[in-house]
Amino acid sequence: MTERTLVLLKPDSIQRRLAGRIISRFEDKGLNLVAMKMMRVTPELAKRHYAEHAAKAWYPSLEGFITSGPIVAMLIEGPEAIRVIREMVGATNGRDAAAGTIRGTFGSSRQLNLVHASDGPVAAKREADIFFRPEEINGFEPTLRPWVAANDEV
Ligand code: CDP
Ligand code: MG
């Protein structure tokens, strides 16, 4: 099933100049970028996006990090994109994330873990609505599609 999910390149990705390499992984996988912008997360936006964590003891530290510099927000589309991208991203802590995942490859921190990816369909819809207006989303039919998966798979 074709899904859309929210991916954020957190401030450490931008500061470490890893944005291009991380985006390439999603393109290489055959997923579609359908929305993308560079922006700054405000404390208000951080509290909305991380609502499930806002009462936790470590939340103020997370808010400090996510608002500390520019991020890139993206919507990425593809077959089972939500689960596939979570698996490409890896476990929260870069020290636990499997080798070959984005966090496992580039990260060694629990907080500075480079990327956010929605954890399920409800979160994907909620988070897409927080970061993008409908006119900022540019879906398209990739001409490569017949070479990425069989017709009866998607
Ligand atoms: O991003 P993910 O869904 O893997 O992890 P989470 O448990 O939903 O936590 C959201 C984000 O909070 C993480 O990606 C970390 O950047 C940060 N975090 C933190 O700063 N301190 C913790 N003890 C746990 C998570
Ligand atoms: Mg999470």
Side-chain angles (χ1 to χ4, degrees):
M1 190 187 44
T2 300
E3 294 174 338
R4 274 183 190 168
T5 190
L6 179 85
V7 174
L8 303 178
L9 305 182
K10 297 182 182 183
D12 52 335
S13 291
I14 308 305
Q15 293 287 349
R16 291 176 55 193
R17 302 187 173 122
L18 292 171
R21 289 161 75 186
I22 294 171
I23 292 167
S24 289
R25 288 182 169 229
F26 299 122
E27 292 189 319
D28 288 349
K29 184 72 178 170
L31 297 161
N32 264 4
L33 299 175
V34 296
M36 177 154 67
K37 63 181 164 190
M38 193 170 207
M39 59 185 286
R40 208 50 196 252
V41 175
T42 62
E44 295 67 37
L45 180 59
K47 286 183 188 75
R48 254 184 98 192
H49 174 64
Y50 283 125
E52 63 172 317
H53 300 310
K56 294 185 179 155
W58 45 267
Y59 177 76
S61 171
L62 170 61
E63 184 180 290
F65 163 56
I66 204 73
T67 61
S68 65
I71 65 149
V72 169
M74 301 179 279
L75 293 181
I76 305 183
E77 184 183 83
E80 295 180 62
I82 298 170
R83 178 185 62 79
V84 167
I85 289 181
R86 283 287 287 192
E87 287 178 12
M88 291 175 72
V89 165
T92 303
N93 190 328
R95 287 172 236 163
D96 302 328
T101 61
I102 293 168
R103 289 167 173 171
T105 301
F106 299 113
S108 3
S109 162
R110 182 172 62 188
Q111 180 171 88
L112 283 70
N113 58 7
L114 302 144
V115 275
H116 166 84
S118 308
D119 64 9
V122 174
K125 167 82 174 83
R126 188 185 76 84
E127 295 171 2
D129 290 345
I130 291 175
F131 281 87
F132 290 99
R133 297 190 301 274
E135 63 270 25
E136 293 177 311
I137 302 170
N138 299 281
F140 64 98
E141 181 63 25
T143 54
L144 266 175
R145 212 188 77 168
W147 302 104
V148 175
N151 272 334
D152 58 3
E153 279 185 290
V154 289

